[in-house]
Amino acid sequence: MKLRGTVLAGVTAATLMVSGAVLAAVINELPQDAVPIEEPTAALNRQTPAQAPPIESATEAEPASVAPVAVTQETPPTDIAAADLSPGAEEPAVEVPETRAESDVAPSRRQRRRVAIVQAIDKITAESMRFEVEVGGRPVRFQRTLIFSAKACEVSASDEQVSDAVAYLEVSLQSRGVIQVSEPRQLFRGWMFASSPAVNGLQHPIYDAWIVGCKA
């Protein structure tokens, strides 16, 4: 009896562990409602500039010498001076040292951030919201129908002229019904650019959405 009770207890514990893992995976895939944030975007898409070295104070230059300085004329190299420069003779070949091309400086890599800042608007109700979408985290739902998932979010490198943020997003549309009969329909998948929202943005008759920036 004791052995049987031990076996049943072990089976029950294993079942509960498996059920808990499955439940956690299902919850992680379920979308959460978007939470509005007040995040300034001026400093989101810019890396911290490196501090410039301190400028040393200039020292006073020494006065020029009053005594005349003898100027000597440089003599040509021995091989050229001794060459035959008579009429009809070929001019001596002058070796020109090879100049090495400057090595191409590898461009700086863009920094990846953990959170994408998205702005969405309902064009019918004129409701707009700015919210966070964690890269690789739970999807975020706007207006209970528009579902956002972020796969990557990067900011401009320090050597780029324009401060920008790019994010790879997946946007799906879900019906408003209590019982979800069908899977959400995908509306958008690709890169969005904060500096140019119209280049590759969400095209929908009701919703507009674009990337605002990335957050560490």
Side-chain angles (χ1 to χ4, degrees), residues 65-74:
S65 176
V66 179
V69 180
V71 179
T72 58
Q73 185 176 3
E74 296 181 357

Side-chain angles (χ1 to χ4, degrees), residues 27-209:
I27 292 176
N28 191 44
E29 294 179 357
L30 291 177
Q32 56 184 342
D33 292 333
V35 178
I37 62 171
E38 295 292 338
E39 187 75 22
T41 59
L44 284 176
N45 311 328
R46 186 180 307 163
Q47 291 186 347
T48 304
Q51 295 182 355
I55 301 175
E56 298 181 355
S57 58
T59 58
E60 295 183 359
E62 298 181 357
S65 176
V66 179
V69 180
V71 179
T72 58
Q73 185 176 3
E74 296 181 357
T75 57
T78 306
D79 55 344
I80 297 179
D84 184 10
L85 298 179
S86 59
E90 296 182 358
E91 295 183 358
V94 180
E95 295 183 0
V96 180
E98 297 181 357
T99 57
R100 295 182 179 180
E102 295 183 358
S103 59
D104 296 334
V105 180
S108 302
R109 297 184 63 180
R110 291 187 169 184
Q111 288 190 359
R112 293 191 174 185
R113 300 292 174 86
R114 186 177 56 87
V115 177
I117 309 297
V118 179
Q119 180 128 9
I121 183 172
D122 187 332
K123 292 184 283 188
I124 296 179
T125 62
E127 181 179 353
S128 177
M129 183 184 297
R130 181 176 297 186
F131 51 90
E132 298 180 354
V133 182
E134 184 178 359
V135 175
R138 290 182 60 183
V140 178
R141 182 172 52 190
F142 172 71
Q143 291 288 76
R144 298 178 60 187
T145 56
L146 212 58
I147 301 175
F148 294 83
S149 297
K151 303 302 180 183
C153 197
E154 302 175 352
V155 296
S156 301
S158 57
D159 57 353
E160 295 187 34
Q161 297 181 355
V162 180
S163 298
D164 196 5
V166 294
Y168 192 89
L169 299 180
E170 293 181 355
V171 186
S172 302
L173 184 66
Q174 191 176 43
S175 60
R176 289 179 176 268
V178 178
I179 301 177
Q180 305 300 332
V181 180
S182 59
E183 292 292 328
R185 179 170 58 91
Q186 190 173 80
L187 300 178
F188 175 87
R189 182 177 64 182
W191 291 95
M192 286 188 179
F193 304 87
S195 61
S196 304
V199 171
N200 192 28
L202 174 65
Q203 297 180 358
H204 192 267
I206 300 177
Y207 301 105
D208 276 345

